[in-house]
Amino acid sequence: MTGDLNLELIPYDEMESVLPLIFELNQGKLSEEILKSRLKDMLAMGGYECLGVYDNETLIACCGIWLLQKFYKGKHLELDNVFVSEAYRSKGVGRLMMDWLSEYGKSMDCASLELNCYLHNEKGVKFWKRHGFEPLGYHMIKNLE
């Protein structure tokens, strides 16, 4: 199945096409209106792209990509909101995405790929470790809302 899939960066003017997948990823906890507003703000900040995986014309997976520069690592890609539609899971789509993202990171002269994965996401942790990611620290948050 994975041989028929197309991976490409989603053009900015088509970026809202990821919102149904992001809505599903967040299990409906964030309204489509909020997601649309946040996407608009993210695009305005610059440095954000999104990889789309298509089965024919249907978007079946996505991964947000932030191009960042930080003291501790230098230039890197931070992966964000990685999601594969349920019908396509465990069929090699994630591996295709990681291969594409690794090559893209190298082409952008990045030192690494980074991401956050929730502690309770045991399947996710196993997936990321299988693809060469190692835990570095804790992602910590203080809500101000």
Side-chain angles (χ1 to χ4, degrees):
M1 166 187 284
T2 56
D4 298 331
L5 301 178
N6 183 36
L7 287 79
E8 61 186 52
L9 290 174
I10 299 172
Y12 268 37
D13 62 343
E14 297 174 23
M15 200 70 78
E16 286 187 12
S17 66
V18 303
L19 294 180
L21 296 181
I22 302 303
F23 183 80
E24 189 175 340
L25 171 66
N26 288 282
Q27 301 171 332
K29 293 176 185 169
L30 299 172
S31 71
E32 291 181 27
E33 183 178 300
I34 288 173
L35 294 174
K36 187 175 183 178
S37 173
R38 289 181 180 174
L39 175 62
K40 181 181 173 189
D41 292 342
M42 289 162 55
L43 294 175
M45 289 174 63
Y48 181 76
E49 297 179 300
C50 192
L51 171 63
V53 182
Y54 298 87
D55 186 354
N56 292 311
E57 300 296 315
T58 304
L59 181 64
I60 57 103
C62 65
C63 176
I65 306 166
W66 290 97
L67 179 60
L68 300 172
Q69 180 81 251
K70 294 185 182 172
F71 285 119
Y72 73 92
K73 191 59 180 177
K75 190 175 180 183
H76 64 280
L77 295 181
E78 183 172 315
L79 312 184
D80 190 25
N81 294 302
V82 182
F83 185 77
V84 177
S85 296
E86 191 169 344
Y88 290 86
R89 292 179 192 159
S90 299
K91 298 183 191 274
V93 175
R95 178 186 44 77
L96 284 176
M97 293 171 74
M98 291 308 105
D99 290 348
W100 190 98
L101 289 159
S102 292
E103 290 305 312
Y104 185 62
K106 290 175 189 175
S107 78
M108 300 292 285
D109 296 320
C110 290
S112 66
L113 301 179
E114 299 185 15
L115 59 94
N116 293 303
C117 183
Y118 296 121
L119 295 172
H120 67 272
N121 184 359
E122 293 176 17
K123 287 176 85 173
V125 170
K126 288 179 185 176
F127 174 84
W128 297 119
K129 285 183 177 181
R130 259 194 330 271
H131 291 279
F133 289 80
E134 299 174 3
L136 178 63
Y138 292 102
H139 176 86
M140 301 183 79
I141 188 168
K142 177 181 179 178
N143 287 316
L144 301 175
E145 300 178 284

